[in-house]
Amino acid sequence: MAKETKDYSKYFDFSDAKIISQDEYGKKIRIRGREINIISEPNHRQEKQRGKESINVLYEDAVPDELKHLGEGKKYIVYTYGCQMNEHDTETIKGLLEQMGYSSTEDRKEADLILLNTCAIRENAEDKVFGELGHLKHLKTEKPDMLLGVCGCMSQEEGVVNRILQKHGFVDMIFGTHNIHRLPQLIKESLFSKEMVVEVWSKEGDIIENLPKKREGMRAWVNIMYGCDKFCTYCIVPFTRGKERSRRPEDVIAEVRELARQGFKEITLLGQNVNAYGKDFTDIHYGFGDLMDDVNKIDIPRIRFTTSHPRDFDDRLIEVLAKRGNLVEHIHLPVQSGNSAVLKKMSRKYTREQYLELVAKIKKAIPDVVLTTDIIVGFPGETDEQFEDTLSLVREVGFDSAYTFIYSPREGTPAAVMEDNVPMEVKKRRLQRLNDTISEYSRGGNEKLRGQIVEVLVEGESKNNDKVLAGRTRTNKLVHFTGSPELVGQFVHVKITDVMTWYIKGDLVTEPMAVESYR
Ligand code: 5AD
Ligand code: SF4
């Protein structure tokens, strides 16, 4: 609960905001005629704290019986921005809404509820959301009874919430990443009160098991942990997602088994830093390697994970991954920079040499491994020479692909107050050179597959040509080939005939064949 009085003037002129009432359950304010019920609001200082209190695991029914029909006859849309964690949160949001009786629509004009599940990782992600809010304002004017909500990482930021209160008073609901399970109650509150309802918890709460999830397709995400304690100096995630909390292994394993039973073909285990899995258990000694060893025994064709941190990537994990089976030969291993001084300023807690040693160990254990990464260019103070170190590391490792970003200052993070002395033109040139280098290696990695037969999980028809099917190899490479739509959802063998930078083409192998990589 928000007990302290906040200095809103830090962000905006709130001189026209009136406090109507304030008690231990929050406060009601009025801004330009719009009443706002602030049950709780984000606070960066509290988000930064890492308390010792233990996390409870609750096994509850999130939608009480009296709310199970609230959405009957009504339609929803959820727009999702950002990472796979957000995509997966959206599956929970949709699961909750459908348990309340809502059904989905693609047409925003017929929606009774629109939610924006937002991302705060870089400024351009936030700009997109504010742009969308601008468009939705018109719809809200035409259809005032439609509920409009903002959730996800942006809601965890003080500045964002205040900007919405001040400039986007037509929003009906703001909630954060820690209280998604409260969505049914918040919808009820804003439907009946007609006030804007704000409930954002600064501190992570309990782990809530058994939340409904609306999954589609043949691939499923499974959370193994929440939050991040790494506090890389550029990153907002430890603030927006709270402290590291691992789900109990028996809950994760039961979920993976159930998904296997339902016929899913591929599982991606999710966490902001999966290698820290289990470090918060006080009663058992069980880490990410142990979990991977256990899911390796489950009868599901492919298991992936994301995202890993090089610092906690231990030998036990490498030993387990080398067992292969359903554990695929692809590791996403964000490096961020190839220069040790920049890594230190980023507080990544490893050096260039340590990263390269880890890569060598992984390649020794899994020679055909495909490595991908994340890289930031133009971190405050990055010199030309330091950037050259990043390029040389990319060449040395030979990443098959990379997500590359220009540094974006995030309010409240340590890097935001470092002198950002690299001109934007220089940052853009660095990004271009980096992307050119990555493309070269990506094509090179694909070239190695020419003439080989690979196992492909067929995901659907190609976006541009419905005669062409698209699927992925175990190493997550996109493959296009001609085939019948009946193959969607199945594993096939494809002989690679042509190689592009970002995908490969091949011919379906119709005869049963023994393929080395097939398990
Ligand atoms: N600016 C640019 N890129 C960032 N990332 C995280 N924070 C920032 C930031 N402030 C990138 C990192 C991370 C990926 C998910 O996003 O590369 O691994
Ligand atoms: Fe952000 Fe670093 Fe945590 Fe990744 S490990 S989420 S980059 S703080």
Side-chain angles (χ1 to χ4, degrees):
M1 291 295 138
K3 289 215 174 88
E4 54 191 277
T5 318
K6 189 181 279 277
D7 175 15
Y8 289 111
S9 58
K10 191 168 131 203
Y11 300 102
F12 292 103
D13 175 14
F14 272 76
S15 50
D16 53 353
K18 296 233 171 357
I19 295 185
I20 307 167
S21 65
Q22 184 161 20
D23 60 22
E24 78 233 57
Y25 301 110
K27 66 178 165 235
K28 294 203 177 182
I29 61 173
R30 186 181 296 125
I31 302 178
R32 283 186 223 104
R34 173 71 153 146
E35 293 201 356
I36 300 168
N37 178 2
I38 302 183
I39 304 171
S40 56
E41 57 194 324
N43 175 302
H44 264 290
R45 200 170 41 76
Q46 285 174 12
E47 286 176 345
K48 204 160 136 187
Q49 285 161 7
R50 290 297 184 260
K52 287 266 172 281
E53 61 283 359
S54 56
I55 298 288
N56 298 313
V57 184
L58 303 182
Y59 300 84
E60 278 180 5
D61 199 354
V63 185
D65 285 344
E66 73 269 19
L67 299 183
K68 284 214 165 105
H69 304 284
L70 198 63
E72 262 167 22
K74 294 186 186 159
K75 305 234 174 235
Y76 74 84
I77 302 188
V78 187
Y79 294 112
T80 312
Y81 302 80
C83 66
Q84 294 176 340
M85 189 66 81
N86 256 22
E87 299 267 357
H88 188 40
D89 283 349
T90 290
E91 293 181 337
T92 306
I93 290 170
K94 290 182 175 177
L96 288 166
L97 293 175
E98 298 205 358
Q99 275 201 357
M100 293 175 73
Y102 281 95
S103 55
S104 69
T105 177
E106 307 247 305
D107 177 3
R108 56 166 69 186
K109 290 218 169 68
E110 64 169 31
D112 302 284
L113 169 66
I114 297 184
L115 291 177
L116 306 184
N117 188 7
T118 62
C119 168
I121 199 96
R122 283 170 293 277
E123 199 178 348
N124 54 7
E126 298 199 351
D127 291 345
K128 276 190 211 152
V129 171
F130 283 115
E132 188 63 48
L133 278 178
H135 298 138
L136 289 168
K137 184 178 182 178
H138 302 294
L139 193 60
K140 185 71 190 167
T141 318
E142 283 166 27
K143 223 179 145 183
D145 286 342
M146 177 195 79
L147 275 190
L148 176 60
V150 176
C151 59
C153 286
M154 278 171 72
S155 303
Q156 294 291 144
E157 293 185 276
E158 296 173 6
V160 168
V161 170
N162 291 332
R163 181 166 163 187
I164 294 175
L165 298 190
Q166 178 78 2
K167 297 208 165 155
H168 306 277
F170 52 92
V171 167
D172 299 290
M173 232 181 336
I174 306 177
F175 60 100
T177 58
H178 303 313
N179 61 339
I180 290 174
H181 60 285
R182 292 260 308 142
L183 178 60
Q185 285 81 4
L186 297 176
I187 290 180
K188 180 181 155 206
E189 179 77 26
S190 43
L191 274 179
F192 293 122
S193 72
K194 305 269 177 201
E195 295 162 344
M196 184 199 295
V197 177
V198 180
E199 185 180 285
V200 182
W201 299 357
S202 297
K203 299 233 57 85
E204 56 290 319
D206 301 313
I207 290 181
I208 318 280
E209 289 294 342
N210 298 345
L211 289 180
K213 295 185 177 73
K214 188 186 181 200
R215 291 184 164 105
E216 282 159 19
M218 70 229 56
R219 297 180 299 156
W221 290 299
V222 171
N223 272 125
I224 63 165
M225 61 182 302
Y226 306 94
C228 180
D229 288 348
K230 278 281 181 277
F231 286 101
C232 301
T233 53
Y234 51 80
C235 188
I236 194 76
V237 169
F239 300 85
T240 61
R241 292 276 172 178
K243 79 170 179 182
E244 288 172 356
R245 294 98 73 204
S246 305
R247 285 180 69 199
R248 301 296 302 182
E250 56 276 19
D251 292 331
V252 175
I253 290 165
E255 187 171 350
V256 175
R257 282 220 180 94
E258 172 57 20
L259 292 167
R261 196 193 60 75
Q262 290 174 18
F264 282 92
K265 302 287 195 308
E266 183 179 300
I267 303 281
T268 304
L269 302 179
L270 286 183
Q272 310 295 345
N273 168 15
V274 290
N275 306 76
Y277 177 79
K279 292 200 165 157
D280 52 323
F281 294 147
T282 48
D283 56 336
I284 48 172
H285 191 74
Y286 187 94
F288 186 53
D290 302 310
L291 182 68
M292 290 302 272
D293 205 16
D294 279 338
V295 293
N296 186 221
K297 294 168 196 140
I298 299 177
D299 190 11
I300 191 145
R302 289 179 179 178
I303 309 253
R304 305 183 182 281
F305 60 94
T306 197
T307 282
S308 47
H309 192 294
R311 161 87 181 197
D312 299 319
F313 210 108
D314 57 24
D315 291 351
R316 162 85 175 127
L317 177 60
I318 298 175
E319 170 202 311
V320 171
L321 293 179
K323 294 184 184 180
R324 298 166 182 256
N326 59 8
L327 310 180
V328 299
E329 303 74 38
H330 169 219
I331 300 173
H332 187 68
L333 194 61
V335 65
Q336 313 298 359
S337 164
N339 176 273
S340 295
V342 175
L343 288 169
K344 187 149 196 241
K345 247 176 120 175
M346 289 177 163
S347 195
R348 289 291 290 176
K349 303 180 179 75
Y350 55 82
T351 60
R352 171 192 175 97
E353 290 69 33
Q354 285 166 332
Y355 185 90
L356 289 172
E357 258 168 51
L358 174 62
V359 165
K361 244 196 260 180
I362 293 172
K363 284 186 174 172
K364 186 157 180 249
I366 312 164
D368 50 346
V369 72
V370 160
L371 294 170
T372 57
T373 199
D374 292 348
I375 296 171
I376 297 175
V377 300
F379 189 73
E382 185 190 59
T383 63
D384 282 341
E385 293 74 34
Q386 289 171 331
F387 170 67
E388 292 297 330
D389 283 346
T390 296
L391 286 183
S392 78
L393 181 129
V394 165
R395 291 192 196 102
E396 206 166 326
V397 176
F399 294 111
D400 274 65
S401 75
Y403 295 106
T404 55
F405 311 102
I406 287 180
Y407 166 71
S408 167
R410 306 283 61 216
E411 190 184 322
T413 61
V417 290
M418 294 177 190
E419 194 196 349
D420 188 359
N421 56 354
V422 186
M424 187 44 89
E425 272 316 299
V426 174
K427 291 180 182 177
K428 285 187 179 159
R429 270 206 305 275
R430 286 182 191 166
L431 186 71
Q432 189 56 51
R433 279 189 66 204
L434 177 61
N435 287 344
D436 291 347
T437 310
I438 305 264
S439 306
E440 202 184 298
Y441 280 84
S442 174
R443 206 186 168 98
N446 291 348
E447 197 60 55
K448 287 188 210 145
L449 294 176
R450 194 188 286 276
Q452 283 195 26
I453 293 171
V454 294
E455 175 206 291
V456 174
L457 172 56
V458 188
E459 288 173 10
E461 287 159 10
S462 146
K463 281 190 200 120
N464 308 324
N465 182 348
D466 61 8
K467 303 239 166 9
V468 174
L469 296 179
R472 299 240 170 213
T473 63
R474 283 171 63 91
T475 52
N476 214 30
K477 288 189 184 282
L478 182 61
V479 182
H480 283 181
F481 63 97
T482 308
S484 148
E486 280 156 31
L487 294 174
V488 173
Q490 296 187 36
F491 286 96
V492 295
H493 294 137
V494 174
K495 183 164 186 183
I496 301 308
T497 53
D498 209 356
V499 169
M500 316 287 141
T501 305
W502 303 119
Y503 69 103
I504 49 186
K505 285 189 194 170
D507 294 332
L508 186 64
V509 176
T510 45
E511 297 299 310
M513 314 203 71
V515 179
E516 209 191 324
S517 74
Y518 186 77
R519 270 161 276 263

